[in-house]
């Protein structure tokens, strides 16, 4: 049984001792391992079996009827709240727009010329994820990754409870952690990191009866200390807000494109273009925002972010804003 310095006990769903040794080693060098060892790769590659050095793309025709072989490049999209009506708050996406985007991704997956495979993720655990998003995914035979702010589960109005999370898990969606309180991890003390990372993982494992190995960073903020703590806490993959396509098998950090409510469908489609120019432009903007964030400091930057993104009072975009 692994020793956890905070006193949180490992659940029976936690990874093997062998895996744990690897994480300890990575923590010693204070950086996340670039590539997981071969026997870890099955869990890390998200649907692509790795046998030795040979990558074997899975055929997933049984999921949607017409899907072809998955290409070895992926682009992860990041969503937050879906709403029946339009909103000026950029982290809210109208349900009809979400539906059109999911249709676009389904068509891409069915196309023989698909070079970058779209993947859907959600952060925070908003109730609309199960009420409005899950039915639209189910009707198209698609699944998503839901990253949950665990301390809000069953306690915060507007966010999913354990019954909803169990239902998503049983429907084949993947569940990961998104901290305990949504505090920016770069602002956490060592003791707070234990709560945000270890307590949230063990609670999800106990409540859902499954192993939790992925998390996404609140506000997309990380540094070497945070990434080492994520590895120490048992996460094999950390999902960020850095807009970049990924190759499979995935590395230990996974970039995502944060989808805003005012992004046109045609613009989203261009992110998947073979020349990668739209995605490169977005990545340059991301780097500029990162610089602004560093220069202004998180407090001032987040104030500006709330204004620019028209954050609504009472919503939980607080702590986001690094996309
Ligand atoms: Zn969040």
């Amino acid at each position: 049984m692994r020793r956890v310095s905070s006193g949180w006990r490992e659940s029976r769903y936690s990874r093997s001792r062998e895996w744990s040794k690897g994480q300890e080693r990575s923590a010693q060098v204070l950086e996340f391992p670039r590539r997981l060892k071969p026997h870890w790769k099955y869990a890390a590659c998200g649907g692509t079996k790795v046998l030795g050095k040979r990558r074997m793309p899975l055929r997933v025709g049984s999921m949607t009827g017409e899907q072809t072989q998955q290409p070895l490049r992926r682009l992860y999209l990041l969503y937050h709240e879906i709403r029946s009506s339009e909103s000026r708050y950029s982290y809210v996406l109208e349900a009809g727009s979400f539906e059109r985007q999911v249709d676009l991704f389904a068509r891409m997956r069915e196309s023989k010329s698909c070079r970058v495979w779209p993947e859907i993720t959600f952060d925070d655990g908003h109730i609309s994820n199960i009420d409005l998003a899950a039915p639209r995914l189910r009707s198209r035979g698609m699944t998503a990754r839901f990253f949950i702010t665990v301390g809000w589960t069953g306690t915060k109005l507007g966010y999913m409870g354990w019954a909803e999370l169990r239902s998503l898990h049983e429907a084949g969606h993947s569940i990961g952690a998104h901290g305990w309180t949504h505090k920016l991890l770069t602002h956490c003390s060592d003791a707070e990191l234990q709560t945000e990372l270890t307590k949230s993982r063990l609670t999800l494992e106990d409540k859902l009866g499954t192993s939790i190995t992925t998390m996404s960073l609140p506000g997309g903020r990380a540094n070497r200390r945070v990434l080492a703590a994520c590895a120490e806490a048992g996460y094999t993959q950390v999902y960020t807000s850095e807009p970049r396509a990924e190759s499979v098998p995935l590395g230990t950090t996974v970039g995502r494109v944060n989808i805003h409510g005012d992004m046109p469908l045609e613009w989203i489609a261009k992110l998947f273009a073979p020349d990668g120019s739209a995605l490169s432009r977005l990545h340059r903007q991301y780097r500029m925002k990162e610089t602004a964030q560093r220069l202004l400091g998180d407090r001032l930057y987040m104030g500006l972010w709330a204004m620019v993104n028209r954050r609504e009072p009472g919503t939980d975009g607080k702590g986001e804003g690094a996309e």
Side-chain angles (χ1 to χ4, degrees):
M1 183 169 287
R2 287 177 62 202
R3 183 182 61 80
V4 179
S5 55
S6 65
W8 294 106
R9 295 184 59 200
E10 284 296 85
S11 78
R12 63 199 151 122
Y13 308 105
S14 300
R15 275 129 314 282
S16 68
R17 185 185 283 177
E18 195 171 12
W19 185 93
S20 163
K21 279 183 194 165
Q23 298 306 301
E24 283 162 14
R25 193 162 49 244
S26 74
Q28 282 166 10
V29 296
L30 283 178
E31 61 183 17
F32 221 87
R34 279 302 301 162
R35 287 282 178 238
L36 301 178
K37 291 215 162 205
H39 63 281
W40 301 337
K41 282 185 176 174
Y42 183 77
C45 66
T48 301
K49 276 189 179 174
V50 176
L51 299 173
K53 289 184 176 175
R54 191 168 159 221
R55 292 179 298 187
M56 298 181 65
L58 289 180
R59 284 195 77 82
V60 289
S62 58
M63 282 171 61
T64 61
E66 288 194 58
Q67 283 174 351
T68 179
Q69 278 198 337
Q70 293 182 13
L72 294 178
R73 299 273 292 162
R74 305 244 170 108
L75 185 58
Y76 287 81
L77 295 316
L78 165 58
Y79 295 89
H80 292 85
E81 179 183 342
I82 309 296
R83 204 180 282 180
S84 305
S85 55
E86 300 258 357
S87 167
R88 296 174 69 203
Y89 176 36
S90 69
Y91 274 35
V92 173
L93 183 65
E94 191 264 327
S97 298
F98 179 69
E99 201 161 297
R100 286 187 286 281
Q101 291 179 23
V102 173
D103 281 336
L104 170 71
F105 303 145
R107 284 197 301 278
M108 285 179 173
R109 286 180 170 198
E110 288 169 6
S111 164
K112 285 192 167 57
S113 60
C114 175
R115 294 288 172 268
V116 182
W117 186 262
E119 294 275 6
I120 296 172
T121 73
F122 286 84
D123 273 6
D124 297 343
H126 194 267
I127 191 72
S128 64
N129 294 180
I130 193 158
D131 288 346
L132 298 173
R136 288 166 170 83
L137 292 168
R138 185 173 56 240
S139 65
R140 291 155 180 84
M142 295 173 79
T143 56
R145 292 178 179 275
F146 294 87
F147 294 101
I148 306 302
T149 307
V150 185
W152 295 352
T153 306
T155 63
K156 191 176 176 79
L157 195 65
Y159 289 82
M160 292 186 282
W162 292 110
E164 284 85 20
L165 293 189
R166 271 191 285 272
S167 166
L168 284 178
H169 173 58
E170 283 161 13
H173 299 288
S174 165
I175 307 292
H178 189 50
W180 185 266
T181 65
H182 206 280
K183 184 169 180 175
L184 298 182
L185 298 180
T186 47
H187 291 191
C188 286
S189 65
D190 288 349
E192 286 171 325
L193 279 180
Q194 286 288 338
T195 301
E196 298 295 333
L197 299 174
T198 306
K199 183 181 178 184
S200 56
R201 179 173 71 76
L202 297 182
T203 304
L204 281 174
E205 290 187 344
D206 283 340
K207 295 284 189 181
L208 302 179
T210 188
S211 175
I212 302 294
T213 58
T214 58
M215 69 157 300
S216 75
L217 299 163
R221 306 293 207 287
N223 53 27
R224 284 162 63 87
R225 172 175 160 265
V226 164
L227 292 180
C230 291
E232 173 68 13
Y235 296 103
T236 57
Q237 282 169 324
V238 174
Y239 286 68
T240 72
S241 307
E242 183 175 344
R244 65 178 195 215
E246 299 288 351
S247 299
V248 289
L250 296 174
T252 47
T253 58
V254 181
R256 294 181 295 176
V257 172
N258 196 349
I259 299 295
H260 289 199
D262 57 359
M263 289 175 171
L265 191 66
E266 300 71 32
W267 184 86
I268 292 170
K270 280 182 188 160
L271 295 174
F272 292 83
D275 70 358
S277 57
L279 194 55
S280 297
R281 253 194 317 277
L282 192 63
H283 194 263
R284 281 197 294 278
Q285 288 170 11
Y286 171 83
R287 288 290 178 219
M288 283 164 63
K289 281 184 197 172
E290 259 193 342
T291 305
Q293 201 176 291
R294 250 194 321 271
L295 294 174
L296 294 171
D298 274 325
R299 198 186 172 99
L300 186 54
Y301 180 84
M302 273 157 39
L304 285 171
W305 177 90
M307 201 167 67
V308 170
N309 288 278
R310 304 177 193 278
R311 181 162 71 84
E312 297 167 348
T315 55
D316 283 290
K318 193 172 110 181
E320 302 289 357
E323 76 285 358

